[in-house]
Amino acid sequence: MKKLINDVATVLDESLDGFAAAHAELIEMDTERRFVRRRAAAPGKVALVSGGGSGHEPLHAGFVGQGMLDAAVPGAIFTSPTPDRILAAIEAVDAGAGVLLIVKNYEGDVMNFEMAAEMATGRVASVLVDDDVAVDNSSYSIGRRGVAGTLVVEKILGAAAEQGMGLDALTALAGRVSAATRSMGVALSSCTVPAAGKPTFELGEDEIEIGVGIHGEPGRRRGPMAPAATIVNELLDAILADLKPAAGARCLLFVNGFGGTPSGELYLVYDAARRRLAKEGLDVARSLVGTYVTSLEMAGCSLTVTVLDDELAALWDAPVRTPALCW
């Protein structure tokens, strides 16, 4: 295992210290490293809190700031943060208008965020992100996984909260965004968790995993490597069959790298996906391409499609200033 680390036991602490120092104008770290919070909080707004296991950077800490999250709670690599850490973040950012928890649909995250919400004294609501079409209720114990669509939910809700939307309306908006968003990914290689020291799973030199999860969970099938356009079409077949967008619908196309794929390949994938969506009569009105929701150094990518209406498009376009997303 070759990684730029000093000691396996201190990887996360040192990484968080570096992150907080590099972006000190935007965010600040809790003194006990329990959470990252927005430095210039807007008074009187609903606070948005998310989090989960580390190893998916820049998700979630990279999306703390104006127009997105008020706090992010990192757990150990691929491990949910504990309820006490989540509770500390809730209490730190609650400005009196309530707190909305944005939770990826994984058993540990769901359980720990629910416990923190129950312990909180203020008004707290939760929304689940479950955009991964690779799995369903019959094949995964808690239902669909939350993957790259989490970024879309955090961005749109963050903009709405910044504009003063209340907690109940934000919760309803989250349901709309989630219903309009689907994702699916492909892995070309595994990743290596530092504490494990070996790949999470094995892929042959000419094998890929279609529908892989962001922790290396199995997908729909394992098969031979294929041209990018063939892979894109298989991913979009599943996404479109589930999403069922109306002809002529406007959409956001988000191509996300898992950590080990160069941007040139991600843009090639975007081109193939854009062409396919155009053939389906869909209008790719908004785009995002880059490495945002990762699985350490896994090679591969995911596609996310969100159907947009005027309100969702305007909220996506609204200003955002975070360490990882800014316009």
Side-chain angles (χ1 to χ4, degrees):
M1 178 183 72
K2 295 179 181 177
K3 289 184 178 289
L4 293 173
I5 62 177
N6 296 311
D7 187 311
V8 168
T10 60
V11 167
L12 183 56
D13 285 351
E14 293 176 15
S15 177
L16 288 171
D17 287 347
F19 174 78
H23 302 288
E25 76 284 5
L26 298 176
I27 58 94
E28 58 185 358
M29 176 72 64
D30 169 59
T31 56
E32 299 178 46
R33 298 194 186 94
R34 295 172 296 180
F35 58 87
V36 174
R37 66 178 294 177
R38 177 176 171 177
R39 184 172 288 278
K45 69 179 282 293
V46 174
L48 303 186
V49 176
S50 192
S54 297
H56 305 303
E57 292 79 12
L59 187 82
H60 295 272
F63 303 139
V64 173
Q66 177 189 349
M68 283 191 81
L69 299 176
D70 293 274
V73 190
I77 292 177
F78 293 178
T79 303
S80 175
T82 55
D84 61 304
R85 290 172 176 262
I86 300 165
L87 178 62
I90 292 171
E91 293 176 339
V93 298
D94 188 351
V99 176
L100 183 61
L101 306 179
I102 302 174
V103 185
K104 300 191 303 301
N105 195 32
Y106 292 95
E107 190 169 5
D109 286 350
V110 171
M111 178 179 66
N112 290 347
F113 274 86
E114 282 182 353
M115 290 177 63
E118 290 170 359
M119 292 187 291
T121 56
R123 190 172 176 221
V124 179
S126 298
V127 296
L128 285 180
V129 183
D130 57 354
D131 54 307
D132 187 4
V133 302
V135 294
D136 56 29
N137 291 336
S138 64
S139 60
Y140 192 62
S141 61
I142 199 170
R144 289 181 169 173
R145 305 174 294 219
V147 288
T150 309
L151 179 154
V152 179
V153 174
E154 291 178 353
K155 170 62 185 78
I156 290 176
L157 293 187
E162 202 78 30
Q163 294 172 12
M165 185 176 285
L167 184 59
D168 291 340
L170 281 168
T171 305
L173 177 63
R176 286 176 52 207
V177 180
S178 293
T181 302
R182 299 289 188 276
S183 303
M184 189 165 164
V186 59
L188 279 61
S189 72
S190 178
C191 60
T192 299
V193 175
K198 62 181 180 179
T200 302
F201 60 93
E202 296 291 340
L203 277 178
E205 187 65 28
D206 193 45
E207 283 186 318
I208 59 175
E209 184 82 25
I210 295 286
V212 70
I214 57 174
H215 306 96
E217 304 97 329
R220 287 191 170 188
R221 70 173 185 87
R222 182 169 295 190
M225 185 63 190
T230 301
I231 296 170
V232 165
N233 282 330
E234 182 170 352
L235 298 179
L236 286 178
D237 283 345
I239 289 171
L240 297 177
D242 195 275
L243 188 57
K244 298 179 176 63
R250 288 181 297 161
C251 63
L252 161 70
L253 173 58
F254 171 26
V255 177
N256 170 67
F258 284 149
T261 297
S263 61
E265 293 180 27
L266 297 179
Y267 281 110
L268 185 153
V269 167
Y270 173 84
D271 183 61
R274 176 185 61 86
R275 292 174 184 274
R276 166 67 188 279
L277 293 178
K279 287 182 179 179
E280 298 290 339
L282 300 174
D283 174 16
V284 179
R286 301 292 187 275
S287 304
L288 183 65
V289 180
T291 300
Y292 293 104
V293 182
T294 64
S295 183
L296 294 170
E297 80 283 16
M298 182 188 289
C301 69
S302 61
L303 302 182
T304 298
V305 177
T306 299
V307 176
L308 299 172
D309 58 22
D310 289 343
E311 181 184 18
L312 298 188
L315 291 170
W316 178 261
D317 292 341
V320 58
R321 187 164 184 249
T322 71
L325 206 64
C326 185
W327 60 68

